């Protein structure tokens, strides 16, 4: 679990199979006071990776400087570069994300579908069904979807 500020806008790409993947940079700060009373601060930089729908949401909602809470797991990858040197990187594969900063101007609000409770309906004959009057009609702006 981390809370930090993004160091750059998310980069959204797609694998050849069509899976969305977003790369995100994050900085976390730690502040403390030494025994001598001196205030100190340390900054750590992290590479975050999001997959699938979360990657697409990150690219839509996140921006450089935004404060974000993320949950995920550490993943270390190794490869040999074009220069024949071994490279290793540890990144955080995020499973959940919460934006803590206000939305940026012009960014649409995310659409969150709420579960709809199933109703048991019984068929009524015309005689049993009450007549709907104009005063009982629900205004369009009161419909939740």
């Amino acid at each position: 679990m981390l809370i930090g500020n993004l160091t750059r806008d998310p980069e959204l790409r797609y694998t050849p199979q069509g899976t969305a993947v977003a790369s995100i940079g994050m900085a976390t700060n730690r502040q403390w006071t030494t025994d001598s009373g001196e205030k100190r601060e340390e900054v750590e930089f992290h590479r975050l990776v999001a997959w699938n729908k979360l990657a697409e949401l990150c690219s839509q909602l996140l921006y450089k400087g935004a404060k974000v809470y993320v949950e995920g797991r550490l993943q270390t990858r190794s490869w040999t570069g074009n220069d024949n040197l071994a490279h290793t990187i540890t990144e955080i594969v995020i499973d959940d994300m919460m934006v803590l900063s206000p939305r940026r101007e012009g960014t649409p609000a995310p659409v969150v579908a709420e579960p709809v409770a199933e109703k048991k309906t019984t068929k009524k004959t015309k005689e049993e069904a009450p007549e709907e009057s104009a005063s009982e009609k629900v205004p369009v702006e009161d419909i939740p979807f």
Side-chain angles (χ1 to χ4, degrees):
M1 294 181 274
L2 292 174
I3 295 178
N5 294 342
L6 300 188
T7 59
R8 57 187 164 88
D9 287 338
E11 290 179 35
L12 181 65
R13 296 180 315 278
Y14 290 89
T15 65
Q17 295 79 23
T19 305
V21 58
S23 299
I24 308 160
M26 175 188 268
T28 55
N29 300 339
R30 182 173 80 100
Q31 299 174 354
W32 73 97
T33 304
T34 63
D35 292 337
S36 62
E38 179 185 359
K39 292 193 177 208
R40 304 285 307 256
E41 183 175 1
E42 183 179 83
V43 179
E44 276 299 318
F45 295 95
H46 312 278
R47 179 184 165 102
L48 310 177
V49 177
W51 291 90
N52 300 314
K53 186 66 177 169
L54 183 57
E56 292 174 344
L57 282 172
C58 287
S59 73
Q60 293 170 6
L61 300 176
L62 301 181
Y63 54 92
K64 180 179 179 178
K67 185 175 284 290
V68 180
Y69 166 83
V70 296
E71 291 180 14
R73 62 183 170 82
L74 291 174
Q75 176 177 291
T76 302
R77 297 184 295 122
S78 299
W79 72 95
T80 302
N82 294 338
D83 50 7
N84 286 332
L85 294 177
H87 299 274
T88 303
I89 188 167
T90 300
E91 48 198 14
I92 300 164
V93 179
I94 62 174
D95 299 321
D96 199 6
M97 175 270 305
M98 187 181 311
V99 183
L100 302 176
S101 293
R103 275 189 315 202
R104 192 165 42 177
E105 291 279 325
T107 305
V111 177
V112 179
E114 294 184 25
V116 178
E118 281 189 39
K119 292 182 184 177
K120 289 188 176 183
T121 58
T122 57
K123 239 182 182 176
K124 294 184 178 181
T125 64
K126 190 157 183 101
E127 296 81 39
E128 294 173 321
E131 286 295 317
E132 188 178 90
S133 68
S135 64
E136 293 178 330
K137 289 188 178 180
V138 177
V140 173
E141 51 271 4
D142 289 345
I143 298 175
F145 48 88

